[in-house]
Amino acid sequence: MTSAKPKTLPRLIEVEEFFADPDFSNPSISPDGSRIAFLAPAHGRRNVWVCGVDEDPANAVCVTHDARRGITNYFWTDDPRWLLYLQDTDGNEDWHLFRVDLTAPGEPAVDLTPMAPGSRVFSAEPLAAQRATMIVAMNQRPEFVDHFLVDVATGTVTLHLEQDDPNGTVLLDRSGEPAFAWRLTEDGDYEFSAIESGTGERRVLRRMGGTAYPMVVQPQLVTPDGTGLLIGAYQDSDDLRLVRLDRETGEERVLAAVEGHSLDVRGAMAPGVLPPMVFTSRRTHEVIAARFVGDRPRIEVLDAHFADVYAALSTLSDGVLSTLSSDESEQRWIATFVHDRDPSVTWLYDHATGESRQLFRGFPRLNPADLAPMTAVHFPARDGLPLNGFLTLPVGTEPVRLPLVLLVHGGPWFHDAWEYNPVVQLLANRGHAVLQVNFRGSTGYGRRHTEAAVGEFARAMHTDLIDAADWAVEQGYADADRIGIFGGSYGGYAALVGVTVTPDYFAAAVDYVGISDLTNFLRSVPPLAKAHMLNNWYAYVGDPEDPDAEADMLARSPITMVDHIRTPLLVAQGANDARVVQAESDNIVASLRERGVPVEYLLAEDEGHGFENPENQIWLYRAVEKHFAEHLGGRRHPER
């Protein structure tokens, strides 16, 4: 720890600068290399814009016109006329696939997948053998995800493959033929099979332990020739590796492995939002690089041609490669980079000429010098389990006895990483130290670390967080009397556990779309999702239909211990949340108000599992800023 004190504080950055939609994000290049698409604000929401590859992005044309909810995921097609995107309604996660006519950008988008409420698109991939045709997985039957062919030009939808097992799925090759299948067995293992061409007969190749893969085995990529399946597997290691499973022999071959580091599967949980776990070639469709977890993300290059491209791209930023797209010739590339203080910087690189130019910065009004560096930290839990985390200290302030916010990630089968995080930067800008810890159960730090969470909700998973905050106090960074806790989803549950199990430890808490009743949470899960929770929630927490397990789950539910709460609490919830239903927040707030305990409740009628609309994010984080300023101290905007 250093006691050197910088001369000046950074400017007090407005909440809007952190949580308004970025000026530019999610860039990609068209297959023919002639155009660039990206997301930018229009009509008060994120929309898709398109410009020529050599044009100034400031002159781009807005080709979508969504004024209700921002767009996150869009796709080029192999027909230059059409562009596709996914959209739900007010955060309900009922995703539909929409078509945009780039020759008529002012026309309304067309819903290619009109379905009844409760049904959604799960994936959309181009069919290699048929131009402008997508293979779309969706559950028109509530409990089964079937494959359909969608003709982009006409909108015709044809059933392609009907699934017969709600606990598994068929994996198709690039021509749309069944190649592999996986299913979750009754004992919680994943069973992978080869599907014989012509007969459809299944031949088991591999079984993998379920609790080691709580968020499904990722990735699951059929090789371009259909003869192999790429999966993430531990094999005989504690580290997750990228492995090729042979369709004929079942032989496993390691494609990428890093001793002491695991394949980073976070990207599979939020495609289009988080950096991908693997990069694939647009020309060959082979995997050309893989991402691994570390103090900073680590890229392992698997392709000789891409090695030269990657070496050139690496000179453009002191961050780590985030997103990547190329034209079909792999001459022109668009890249963004993970960075803790300079997010969403986008570069265009021409491999034929070696020339590059910066296209845009996602947040041009943010000065990296005003933002706080994120530093990897390591310390043991009380039982000796190694814990990894990230500490962010406010700029311009002596790092001694600061107010500390323990920021807890969701999942819990997820992990925090070195990256730009607007919540972290807001809190640091307000004078708070921010500590993120990858407690047991987090992914990315080995099989033993993940499975150490079995049965440990509100137990060792909670004491890991206390141990992390105690470490910050012992190091002199944090003031023991000014520690706050803030989390979303599982992190919201952790915040509620924090103020019930250890009611005197935290000076303030924020519960954001968090679980208050483990039994009600699991009973509220849609039927389609229940089939895939056997090896995560049911294995790690329990089955609420088992009386003994139900009693144990209630004992670990904050709603049961609500009388312990005396910590100032802020609760935020989306009314359309399909994962953690509104009752989870309503019940905790009602119980506190009945006792006369002050609690602030933000309920957004047009949001789901997390606030997406900028005005709602700004509303939330103004409240968070005020809440922690009042109860922890630190800086605060004078107008708030």
Side-chain angles (χ1 to χ4, degrees):
M1 183 179 71
T2 178
S3 60
K5 186 175 181 180
K7 294 180 180 179
T8 58
L9 292 171
R11 70 181 180 92
L12 206 61
I13 301 172
E14 295 278 359
V15 171
E16 290 83 348
E17 292 183 62
F18 288 121
F19 296 101
D21 282 332
D23 286 10
F24 305 95
S25 61
N26 295 45
S28 66
I29 193 166
S30 62
D32 64 5
S34 67
R35 289 175 291 182
I36 295 169
F38 55 88
L39 301 179
H43 316 294
R45 295 290 182 263
R46 288 188 311 273
N47 276 278
V48 183
W49 297 66
V50 174
C51 67
V53 70
D54 295 318
E55 292 180 322
D56 185 337
N59 298 324
V61 174
C62 185
V63 300
T64 63
H65 309 281
D66 200 318
R68 183 165 180 168
R69 193 164 185 83
I71 295 169
T72 297
N73 293 303
Y74 70 89
F75 318 91
W76 292 101
T77 71
D78 56 9
D79 186 323
R81 180 176 177 180
W82 310 114
L83 185 141
L84 308 176
Y85 68 92
L86 293 173
Q87 187 59 288
D88 71 344
T89 302
D90 293 341
N92 65 2
E93 301 188 46
D94 286 351
W95 301 101
H96 288 217
L97 185 67
F98 289 84
R99 182 194 73 197
V100 173
D101 186 347
L102 295 181
T103 66
E107 293 296 315
V110 174
D111 185 353
L112 296 175
T113 55
M115 293 178 287
S119 296
R120 66 184 64 171
V121 169
F122 288 84
S123 65
E125 300 289 341
L127 180 64
Q130 197 167 322
R131 185 176 174 84
T133 301
M134 303 293 289
I135 301 177
V136 179
M138 52 187 170
N139 65 323
Q140 288 189 346
R141 297 183 298 159
E143 294 188 31
F144 294 88
V145 180
D146 301 315
H147 289 94
F148 297 82
L149 296 182
V150 176
D151 185 305
V152 175
T154 66
T156 302
V157 178
T158 307
L159 178 64
H160 178 64
L161 179 67
E162 194 169 76
Q163 305 267 28
D164 58 3
D165 185 355
N167 295 331
T169 193
V170 171
L171 303 173
L172 308 178
D173 63 20
R174 282 183 47 76
S175 63
E177 294 302 312
F180 295 88
W182 68 265
R183 61 184 295 268
L184 186 60
T185 66
E186 291 182 0
D187 56 2
D189 284 347
Y190 287 103
E191 183 179 87
F192 286 89
S193 300
I195 299 179
E196 300 293 346
S197 179
T199 67
E201 181 182 347
R202 299 189 183 189
R203 178 168 36 85
V204 176
L205 299 175
R206 177 78 148 87
R207 285 175 69 103
M208 304 170 70
T211 54
Y213 306 91
M215 296 307 291
V216 186
V217 174
Q218 293 288 356
Q220 297 176 21
L221 299 174
V222 179
T223 59
D225 61 6
T227 65
L229 179 68
L230 305 189
I231 58 174
Y234 290 105
Q235 298 180 306
D236 59 352
S237 170
D238 190 50
D239 307 319
L240 192 67
R241 303 162 169 171
L242 181 63
V243 173
R244 181 188 186 276
L245 189 62
D246 189 85
R247 183 172 173 180
E248 292 300 319
T249 67
E251 178 187 358
E252 294 180 21
R253 177 163 59 90
V254 177
L255 296 186
V258 181
E259 184 69 26
H261 299 266
S262 284
L263 187 68
D264 188 348
V265 300
R266 289 200 320 160
M269 302 176 200
V273 176
L274 295 171
M277 56 188 155
V278 297
F279 298 99
T280 56
S281 165
R282 200 172 215 166
R283 177 173 53 86
T284 67
H285 305 285
E286 298 280 1
V287 170
I288 55 177
R291 187 183 308 274
F292 285 79
V293 176
D295 289 352
R296 283 167 53 118
R298 177 168 174 165
I299 307 297
E300 291 294 305
V301 175
L302 308 180
D303 176 82
H305 170 69
F306 181 65
D308 293 335
V309 173
Y310 180 71
L313 293 175
S314 297
T315 67
L316 303 179
S317 171
D318 60 351
V320 179
L321 186 63
S322 177
T323 64
L324 186 68
S325 70
S326 78
D327 60 12
E328 290 178 331
S329 71
E330 296 192 342
Q331 173 182 323
R332 286 174 159 169
W333 299 78
I334 288 184
T336 67
F337 295 86
V338 175
H339 200 286
D340 58 345
R341 287 162 293 141
D342 199 7
S344 302
V345 179
T346 297
W347 290 82
L348 173 67
Y349 166 68
D350 190 318
H351 192 55
T353 65
E355 296 177 350
S356 61
R357 64 184 171 95
Q358 188 180 116
L359 292 176
F360 40 71
R361 294 178 64 235
F363 299 86
R365 287 172 294 281
L366 289 178
N367 182 352
D370 289 332
L371 303 180
M374 180 181 285
T375 303
V377 293
H378 314 275
F379 41 82
R382 62 189 63 184
D383 63 357
L385 183 75
L387 298 177
N388 300 271
F390 297 90
L391 178 66
T392 304
L393 298 171
V395 175
T397 302
E398 187 176 6
V400 176
R401 292 179 55 81
L402 297 167
L404 174 80
V405 175
L406 191 63
L407 187 62
V408 188
H409 68 67
W413 302 283
F414 189 73
H415 65 270
D416 285 315
W418 183 84
E419 61 192 352
Y420 172 78
N421 183 318
V423 181
V424 170
Q425 294 298 336
L426 170 68
L427 295 172
N429 186 256
R430 298 310 190 252
H432 306 299
V434 184
L435 181 58
Q436 300 163 274
V437 58
N438 288 310
F439 49 86
R440 70 191 65 209
S442 302
T443 58
Y445 290 92
R447 177 176 186 156
R448 287 189 296 272
H449 187 83
T450 299
E451 292 189 303
V454 174
E456 296 299 334
F457 275 55
R459 294 172 181 148
M461 293 170 76
H462 171 61
T463 59
D464 285 351
L465 301 178
I466 300 297
D467 293 345
D470 283 349
W471 170 86
V473 172
E474 291 164 4
Q475 297 299 307
Y477 296 119
D479 180 348
D481 295 326
R482 294 190 294 162
I483 298 176
I485 186 169
F486 175 15
S489 193
Y490 171 84
Y493 166 80
L496 293 174
V497 168
V499 297
T500 52
V501 173
T502 48
D504 298 318
Y505 192 87
F506 296 102
V510 177
D511 158 31
Y512 181 28
V513 296
I515 300 161
S516 64
D517 182 340
L518 292 169
T519 61
N520 182 67
F521 164 70
L522 282 175
R523 287 181 174 131
S524 302
V525 171
L528 180 67
K530 283 186 177 180
H532 299 283
M533 297 178 75
L534 179 64
N535 67 328
N536 45 63
W537 286 95
Y538 284 92
Y540 279 71
V541 184
D543 182 350
E545 304 313 315
D546 178 316
D548 291 337
E550 179 188 30
D552 181 57
M553 293 165 71
L554 285 171
R556 290 182 283 155
S557 295
I559 194 66
T560 309
M561 301 175 279
V562 69
D563 289 350
H564 297 174
I565 297 178
R566 45 185 174 267
T567 305
L569 180 65
L570 169 65
V571 177
Q573 176 70 43
N576 305 309
D577 196 332
R579 305 188 193 193
V580 178
V581 296
Q582 182 181 329
E584 293 294 317
S585 292
D586 285 353
N587 292 341
I588 206 87
V589 170
S591 296
L592 291 174
R593 287 178 173 169
E594 285 173 8
R595 289 174 47 219
V597 177
V599 58
E600 184 176 3
Y601 188 22
L602 308 183
L603 178 64
E605 298 292 343
D606 57 348
E607 296 287 4
H609 194 58
F611 294 4
E612 284 290 327
N613 295 333
E615 65 273 18
N616 291 329
Q617 289 206 51
I618 292 165
W619 175 42
L620 168 64
Y621 287 105
R622 281 179 175 169
V624 169
E625 173 194 25
K626 178 182 176 183
H627 186 70
F628 284 134
E630 288 181 351
H631 301 293
L632 302 183
R635 306 167 77 200
R636 180 178 170 188
H637 198 287
E639 297 178 4
R640 305 287 181 247

